[in-house]
Amino acid sequence: MNIAVIGTGYVGLVAGTCFAELGHDVICVDIDKEKIKILNEGKVPIYEPGLEELIAKNKGKIVFTTDFDDAVRKSTVVFIAVGTPPKASGGADLSFVENVARGIAAAAKKPKIVVEKSTVPVQTCERIIQVLDCNDGDNNGKCIKHIVVSNPEFLREGSAVKDFLNPDRIVIGSNDENARKTMEELYAPLKAEMVFTDIKSAELIKHASNSFLATKISFINAVANVCEKTGADIAMVAKGMGLDKRIGPSFLNAGIGYGGFCFPKDVEAFIRISEKNGYKFKILEEVQAVNKFQKENFVKTIEDALWNLNGKTIGVFGLAFKPNTDDMRFAPSIDIINALLKEGAKVKAFDPEAMERAKAILGDKIEYCKDMYAVSEGVDAVLFLTEWKQFVEIDLDKLKKLMKDVFVFDGRNIFDPIAMRAKGFKYESIGRL
Ligand code: UDX
């Protein structure tokens, strides 16, 4: 099948590449000339395991271009996968989505199946339909009837290719039989469970899923705070809870909270769209409050232990919002580091992939180390903010020898508290004594 994917961000690039892997002919479009140039040189503008190799493998089946009109005209299905960043008001900025819809309306000379894949609030497809309905028409001025489908994407950064190719479910929102059949064909090689819904329900599934996962994280973080107060151990509590099949073990890792470009933005956007439609989604407001508290409380723990932060040097292990990505957007590390700097601490940090992106945000306010052991040289304390594999496997004896004082603040519960204290570290983690 001939497919155009508009937008080569995480979702667009991964989806486009994976569709090529499934045997389709894909044209990936972006207005960013530099990005397209990089992609045409066989490189990938983001760090995503396996993606570069998969693009190389499917070289003949995937084209990268800035020629939007040509891509639309050559394709049966056009995916919208552009960004929906947060506006200052908290709602999603849908202007890129609108522009793409207008572009399709202007370029298409035949009916298209227009698939909305960007994460958008419920009722967005209605707007897309509205835009497509006032299209320029075919060469004879006759109006063209495009079909709009909502097909949300659930991939995670860091395991995006794997997630796309092994989905738990594929959600297809459309009441049009032909569109459903086409979508079924498109995804058939994945042999995954397909959920067919109306358009609005599909849109809601995406926001509701991300918000539910964020709620799960904030819930376990709230329980961790009670554990800290009462002397219980969150790891054991989470294990005991997660074995209940109705709860499940995933997303029960307590820590410094969720970050990234999806959860913070989508929870906020879901609150806004609910409010706009007359419902105050108070649970989600509390989810946000807990997430903020986790970072503040972590800094307070550091302050309580070190007394004065002014003039102290703190080493930071991990800057990315989670392992296996270079993404720094809404990373908890940013707020935590800024709070430490405000108190007069000196910060040096290392991240295996996110150093360049971190520099763009934190600038020269912190020192960037060449490797993870350089982080610990002569410091009063170290923080673990991202659970990269190499940090999990760090030589703890070497770490201890290099540090001036031996405070370890583990924001991701990587290490065993008893073992750490037995090694002589002054060790603090989340929700465990
Ligand atoms: C998320 C959704 O999982 C994905 O389905 C959606 O398409 C996009 O948003 P992503 O943002 O890539 O994916 O990361 P995810 O692995 O879900 O983690 C999000 C954040 O939650 C990270 O900061 C992570 O550290 C944190 N997290 C996750 C926890 O603090 N505890 C957990 O138990 C799980």
Side-chain angles (χ1 to χ4, degrees), residues 196-260:
F196 292 97
T197 68
D198 60 278
I199 293 182
K200 285 181 200 166
S201 302
E203 291 175 317
L204 250 170
I205 286 170
K206 174 67 194 189
H207 262 164
S209 298
N210 272 2
S211 296
F212 186 78
L213 291 169
T215 304
K216 219 174 162 189
I217 297 169
S218 276
F219 186 88
I220 205 67
N221 282 334
V223 176
N225 295 332
V226 179
C227 285
E228 261 171 38
K229 303 266 180 227
T230 56
D233 183 320
I234 191 61
M236 290 181 196
V237 174
K239 187 170 181 207
M241 286 170 64
L243 284 170
D244 184 326
K245 288 190 182 65
R246 294 167 301 174
I247 298 174
S250 54
F251 281 71
L252 288 183
N253 296 325
I256 48 175
Y258 59 79

Side-chain angles (χ1 to χ4, degrees), residues 69-292:
D69 291 4
D70 185 58
V72 169
R73 285 181 194 139
K74 282 185 179 147
S75 305
T76 311
V77 183
V78 182
F79 280 87
I80 303 178
V82 289
T84 53
K87 289 194 287 194
S89 62
D93 180 354
L94 300 173
S95 55
F96 300 110
V97 174
E98 180 180 345
N99 285 345
V100 172
R102 286 198 189 284
I104 296 169
K109 299 293 169 206
K110 280 187 195 156
K112 305 286 168 192
I113 295 176
V114 177
V115 185
E116 208 305 303
K117 214 176 206 355
S118 307
T119 300
V120 293
V122 62
Q123 297 168 325
T124 298
C125 284
E126 271 182 4
R127 296 292 193 170
I128 296 176
I129 293 168
Q130 186 185 321
V131 169
L132 290 172
D133 268 352
C134 42
N135 63 63
D136 286 2
D138 63 7
N139 291 331
N140 306 316
K142 212 172 100 211
C143 201
I144 304 169
K145 195 87 199 132
H146 301 291
I147 296 164
V148 175
V149 176
S150 167
N151 172 221
E153 185 49 58
F154 301 98
L155 55 81
R156 289 166 297 177
E157 288 180 23
S159 55
V161 170
K162 198 171 133 254
D163 287 349
F164 190 97
L165 295 174
N166 304 281
D168 289 340
R169 78 301 204 189
I170 293 162
V171 174
I172 294 163
S174 169
N175 288 328
D176 185 281
E177 266 317 307
N178 277 339
R180 283 187 174 193
K181 238 185 240 153
T182 306
M183 295 301 287
E184 211 171 351
E185 234 176 80
L186 203 60
Y187 282 109
L190 290 181
K191 297 187 174 36
E193 174 147 10
M194 296 204 192
V195 182
F196 292 97
T197 68
D198 60 278
I199 293 182
K200 285 181 200 166
S201 302
E203 291 175 317
L204 250 170
I205 286 170
K206 174 67 194 189
H207 262 164
S209 298
N210 272 2
S211 296
F212 186 78
L213 291 169
T215 304
K216 219 174 162 189
I217 297 169
S218 276
F219 186 88
I220 205 67
N221 282 334
V223 176
N225 295 332
V226 179
C227 285
E228 261 171 38
K229 303 266 180 227
T230 56
D233 183 320
I234 191 61
M236 290 181 196
V237 174
K239 187 170 181 207
M241 286 170 64
L243 284 170
D244 184 326
K245 288 190 182 65
R246 294 167 301 174
I247 298 174
S250 54
F251 281 71
L252 288 183
N253 296 325
I256 48 175
Y258 59 79
F261 202 50
C262 290
F263 287 174
K265 160 173 96 73
D266 293 351
V267 169
E268 180 66 24
F270 201 23
I271 291 172
R272 295 285 153 236
I273 191 74
S274 306
E275 204 168 29
K276 206 170 157 192
N277 284 279
Y279 180 70
K280 203 155 171 50
F281 217 138
K282 283 195 199 154
I283 296 177
L284 292 183
E285 287 174 357
E286 193 51 32
V287 166
Q288 291 180 318
V290 172
N291 203 49
K292 189 164 172 271

